[in-house]
Amino acid sequence: MLETTTIGSFPKPDYIKKARGQFARGEISREALKELEKKATEEVIRTQEKLGLDILVDGEIYRGDMTTYFAELMEGLEISGLVRSYGNRYYRKPVVSGPVKRRGPMTVDWFLYAQGLTKKPVKGMFTGPYTMTDWSFNEHYPTRRDLVLDFAHQLHEEALDLEKAGAQYIQIDEPAISTRPDEIDLAIEGLQIVTEGLRAKTITHICYGDFEKVYPRILDLPVDQIALEMSNSGYDLLRLIEKHPFTKELGLGALDVHSHVIETKEKVKEGIKQALEVIPPERIVVNPDCGLKTRTPEEAIEKLKVMVEAVGEVRAELN
Amino acid sequence: MITTVIGNYPKIPNRPRPAKLRNAITRFDSGEITLKDLKGVEDEVTLEVIEEQIDAGVELITDGMIRWEDGQTYLARGIQGFSINGLIRYFDTNTYYRQPVVEGDLEWVGPITARDYEFAQKGSKSPVKAVLTGPYTLALLSKDEHYRDRKRLVMALAKSLSKEAKALEERGVPWIQIDEPALLLNKEDFPLVLEAIGEITQDLQVKSALFLYYDDIEGLYPQILQLPVDLIGLDFVMGEKNFEILRKAPFTKSLGFGIIDARNTKRETVEEIVEKIGKIREIVPLDRIHVSPNCGLEFLPREVAYEKLVLMVKGVNKAKEVYHA
Ligand SMILES: [Zn+2]
């Protein structure tokens, strides 16, 4: 009960940022960059083991961004240029200029590499069809639905490949789901296609939105676990859950990933206890609100340390 | 018929041009440069984007709102009574802003954007308009922990913004544009918006505009013609239905004709633009039209934004020829 995990991304060490810049300028080869990414991935695995997290991630060191990475590997997509998402953060926003098609597995090699480094389970993960659509410019498909469904069929193949490679957990990130409440049906339809027939435990992660407008409808998402941002909004979401029971496993976001401030153990415990009032411990997994890539490596470790300790104490109190 | 833009312009270009502002903010955050250095880069980039808009042929430009982290916090940081909270999503976009929190009585304590206007106008050979996020939209996108009453909050903001508008007028701004996209989320609040905009424009001599985007104005027409502004700007991309809606009653003001999609890279063609102008010409005389993108251009990569402005200007010039305007 109360297993601990993270949402996916870890901060890129300085040598990776530097190497990515060098690669972009043609100063180092793709192979040289990949060697460094492997080194950093191994460090992320060791960090998670040392922290005592239960379910690990590969850290997404090899991804520039959660949509761009896939856009660069798929047919039918190009990169339009840098677009600002907030503050001083920009991403290279994809453009869909033709039919979207997977050229081959996109995350399986990294999953296998990361899983090969540890005995603990590593999650297989990729960005979902609704978010891929919402975070790209669409210059090709007549409707958003056409694009979501095409992405969904392609990503279903990725899920099957991850399962074949041994992934026990498959996480499909859909941070954009809470963007347009009127499109929740479309998001559900897309995930239905992606998760069709999977035996692995399925998870989706959603963040930054007006959950009031999509709750309890999100409980119809065809996955076993939904990981939600919660601490950033003062656990307001729990009040909705009070009114309408959360029927799935909850990935409880307990660390604000956009703040430099390290949470206190008491604060994290308090959040977990609030959640325990509405969901039994067997159905709660504790994780940060979102990926940790925007924090410094030190902040990420400090925050996770507090989270793991807080969970340990709550577990002890429950026993 | 003139060409204009709605507000923000992409802050950084793509390679090989350097991302000056992004780099400067990173260096400022890590303590390598001073606030004064950062402000210097903001000025430099502002002049650059002014140049780009003029070069594209836009007649009525903005300063690109390079200093604005987003549409809300730049104003909220300048009004006493606000604090700034965590990130939340901006409308149905994949951009985020830090949510302003109303913690006490709101008070305008001095010009927030007036110096920006002066700087921009000095650096521009074309007229520069000032853009303010409207009191209703600011209220809706903030968290109210003080007034706990929408009307009181909106009117308090309107008071502050009316002083800001006055400060802009004193510095000679030719146009003040107020953006109220949030009205289209809650059309039943139109009477409140009407009162709030009146509070801002009642003592102004300068030309004023109100922009409504991300949707059509179904249910608000012809009432919106009561708004005490010279120009009403509408979104004909996400609100294509506006073409139909405006036929219901004579449009008695100038029209902001937002026809360039600032939320998708797909380029408009000159023919499409000419056709749309032909369509609006049956409803509003062309000498009362400001052609523009449907919203701020910052959702696009810089080069695409520029290219779209160039196409817009070409389309308008072609339309002038075709329709002898
Ligand atoms: Zn997230």
Side-chain angles (χ1 to χ4, degrees):
Chain A
M1 70 179 172
L2 293 181
E3 287 175 303
T4 54
T5 189
T6 58
I7 295 300
S9 66
F10 269 71
K12 290 186 178 54
D14 286 337
Y15 66 83
I16 291 292
K17 287 186 199 159
K18 196 174 138 210
R20 289 179 66 89
Q22 288 171 328
F23 174 67
R25 292 189 297 271
E27 293 162 17
I28 62 168
S29 67
R30 184 172 285 282
E31 292 67 39
L33 173 63
K34 195 163 178 187
E35 277 317 303
L36 291 172
E37 287 169 346
K38 280 179 148 177
K39 171 172 137 73
T41 302
E42 178 162 10
E43 287 164 8
V44 168
I45 293 287
R46 298 294 164 245
T47 299
Q48 295 174 88
E49 285 182 326
K50 215 158 131 195
L51 283 162
L53 289 157
D54 300 310
I55 304 161
L56 311 194
V57 296
D58 66 23
E60 301 176 11
I61 296 295
Y62 55 93
R63 295 194 200 172
D65 165 274
M66 61 182 295
T67 44
T68 313
Y69 175 74
F70 297 97
E72 286 181 325
L73 291 175
M74 291 178 85
E75 270 173 42
L77 289 131
E78 295 158 40
I79 303 301
S80 67
L82 288 164
V83 173
R84 198 165 68 96
S85 60
Y86 65 92
N88 203 28
R89 291 202 75 88
Y90 293 78
Y91 75 106
R92 296 164 61 230
K93 188 165 176 171
V95 190
V96 176
S97 53
V100 298
K101 198 168 177 332
R102 202 175 68 125
R103 291 191 175 95
M106 303 184 280
T107 59
V108 175
D109 284 352
W110 282 108
F111 164 75
L112 284 171
Y113 174 71
Q115 187 64 80
L117 296 168
T118 179
K119 291 200 165 51
K120 290 201 169 169
V122 175
K123 294 194 261 194
M125 45 200 353
F126 54 83
T127 305
Y130 185 77
T131 300
M132 285 301 296
T133 299
D134 198 51
W135 291 9
S136 301
F137 294 117
N138 173 17
E139 295 195 11
H140 176 75
Y141 287 84
T143 69
R144 286 163 66 82
R145 180 166 179 269
D146 293 329
L147 178 53
V148 169
L149 298 190
D150 255 16
F151 266 130
H153 287 292
Q154 297 300 314
L155 294 169
H156 176 59
E157 299 297 318
E158 186 70 16
L160 290 177
D161 285 339
L162 279 166
E163 195 173 71
K164 244 183 268 162
Q168 301 167 44
Y169 298 86
I170 294 179
Q171 178 175 312
I172 304 133
D173 292 315
E174 286 284 25
I177 273 187
S178 53
T179 313
R180 290 186 185 83
D182 55 312
E183 280 190 344
I184 183 80
D185 288 345
L186 177 55
I188 290 171
E189 193 182 358
L191 266 192
Q192 188 69 55
I193 294 169
V194 179
T195 58
E196 184 78 55
L198 293 181
R199 288 177 311 277
K201 179 176 264 190
T202 51
I203 304 164
T204 191
H205 163 62
I206 308 176
C207 52
Y208 305 112
D210 200 346
F211 287 110
E212 253 167 76
K213 294 197 181 117
V214 289
Y215 193 82
R217 188 70 173 110
I218 52 166
L219 297 174
D220 292 330
L221 287 164
V223 289
D224 303 307
Q225 184 197 120
I226 305 180
L228 297 172
E229 169 206 35
M230 290 202 144
S231 80
N232 183 35
S233 52
Y235 298 94
D236 281 353
L237 199 51
L238 292 172
R239 263 159 255 156
L240 296 176
I241 294 176
E242 238 165 64
K243 284 186 220 136
H244 191 111
F246 198 83
T247 50
K248 302 201 180 270
E249 223 176 77
L250 170 70
L252 174 77
L255 296 174
D256 184 352
V257 300
H258 291 289
S259 163
H260 295 286
V261 181
I262 310 296
E263 284 79 358
T264 63
K265 197 165 52 181
E266 285 61 41
K267 194 176 168 202
V268 177
K269 281 174 72 177
E270 183 51 39
I272 298 170
K273 285 179 182 171
Q274 280 184 45
L276 283 170
E277 284 169 24
V278 288
I279 305 176
E282 311 79 59
R283 281 203 281 118
I284 298 179
V285 172
V286 183
N287 44 249
D289 278 353
C290 191
L292 289 160
K293 70 174 177 189
T294 57
R295 298 278 55 83
T296 66
E298 297 74 26
E299 284 166 355
I301 289 172
E302 281 310 306
K303 280 178 175 262
L304 288 173
K305 203 186 244 173
V306 170
M307 185 184 89
V308 172
E309 276 175 22
V311 170
E313 289 185 16
V314 176
R315 274 184 199 154
E317 287 170 30
L318 284 173
N319 284 329
Chain B
M1 184 163 50
I2 67 160
T3 51
T4 188
V5 289
I6 299 302
N8 56 22
Y9 194 80
K11 296 187 192 336
I12 63 167
N14 285 275
R15 285 203 178 100
R17 288 192 290 171
K20 283 181 203 164
L21 186 64
R22 185 188 194 182
N23 298 338
I25 293 174
T26 304
R27 296 183 64 202
F28 173 73
D29 285 345
S30 63
E32 289 167 55
I33 61 169
T34 64
L35 185 61
K36 199 170 160 245
D37 298 333
L38 177 59
K39 298 263 172 221
V41 175
E42 287 174 351
D43 285 350
E44 189 184 333
V45 173
T46 298
L47 293 177
E48 245 174 57
V49 305
I50 284 173
E51 202 48 51
E52 259 183 62
Q53 295 172 77
I54 294 173
D55 187 59
V58 178
E59 290 153 284
L60 178 60
I61 64 164
T62 70
D63 72 350
M65 302 169 89
I66 294 306
R67 302 171 177 86
W68 296 51
E69 185 184 327
D70 57 67
Q72 293 64 245
T73 48
Y74 191 69
L75 294 174
R77 285 181 210 276
I79 297 172
Q80 192 181 298
F82 271 118
S83 69
I84 305 294
N85 215 356
L87 286 171
I88 58 168
R89 193 186 294 278
Y90 174 71
F91 285 87
D92 62 343
T93 70
N94 45 8
T95 65
Y96 305 84
Y97 69 97
R98 292 197 182 275
Q99 190 173 37
V101 183
V102 184
E103 293 193 321
D105 279 342
L106 295 179
E107 191 138 5
W108 184 84
V109 285
I112 305 165
T113 62
R115 181 243 164 224
D116 301 345
Y117 165 69
E118 278 181 319
F119 175 82
Q121 192 61 78
K122 216 179 288 164
S124 169
K125 53 181 194 285
S126 297
V128 177
K129 67 176 167 185
V131 181
L132 298 172
T133 304
Y136 184 76
T137 298
L138 261 183
L140 230 73
L141 301 188
S142 299
K143 193 168 181 179
D144 179 10
E145 292 184 347
H146 177 69
Y147 296 98
R148 305 200 184 266
D149 177 277
R150 185 176 286 173
K151 183 168 181 187
R152 286 182 57 212
L153 171 60
V154 170
M155 292 314 293
L157 277 164
K159 278 214 166 61
S160 292
L161 292 174
S162 83
K163 289 177 185 159
E164 184 67 20
K166 209 72 203 153
L168 283 160
E169 183 177 70
E170 279 162 17
R171 284 159 180 83
V173 75
W175 275 93
I176 294 180
Q177 173 184 316
I178 303 163
D179 288 5
E180 286 289 19
L183 169 60
L184 302 183
L185 299 174
N186 295 306
K187 289 171 178 163
E188 68 281 3
D189 274 342
F190 175 69
L192 175 56
V193 173
L194 189 62
E195 194 183 337
I197 298 303
E199 174 75 31
I200 300 176
T201 59
Q202 60 184 351
D203 298 323
L204 290 183
Q205 311 302 317
V206 59
K207 296 252 188 213
S208 58
L210 186 99
F211 268 78
L212 302 169
Y213 40 82
Y214 305 146
D215 204 346
D216 61 52
I217 55 162
E218 177 91 272
L220 284 176
Y221 195 71
Q223 303 93 294
I224 58 160
L225 295 173
Q226 299 164 29
L227 284 162
V229 291
D230 301 292
L231 177 146
I232 294 177
L234 303 175
D235 184 339
F236 290 81
V237 179
M238 296 178 74
E240 218 188 333
K241 231 177 146 188
N242 282 332
F243 279 111
E244 216 178 288
I245 295 167
L246 291 195
R247 286 181 179 277
K248 286 188 207 152
F251 194 83
T252 51
K253 298 188 183 279
S254 289
L255 174 70
F257 190 39
I259 52 167
I260 303 298
D261 192 348
R263 289 180 55 173
N264 197 339
T265 46
K266 189 166 187 179
R267 318 296 197 271
E268 286 74 15
T269 63
V270 167
E271 292 70 35
E272 275 166 13
I273 296 167
V274 172
E275 194 201 312
K276 284 192 171 138
I277 292 171
K279 225 165 138 184
I280 202 67
R281 180 173 165 255
E282 299 163 14
I283 311 171
V284 185
L286 292 187
D287 59 1
R288 278 200 265 133
I289 292 207
H290 287 194
V291 181
S292 69
N294 63 328
C295 59
L297 290 162
E298 229 201 318
F299 298 118
L300 297 170
R302 173 97 154 247
E303 293 71 18
V304 178
Y306 173 77
E307 216 182 292
K308 285 203 171 220
L309 290 181
V310 170
L311 285 167
M312 174 176 86
V313 171
K314 270 194 192 149
V316 168
N317 288 341
K318 181 81 191 170
K320 281 182 180 162
E321 243 176 77
V322 175
Y323 305 118
H324 311 288

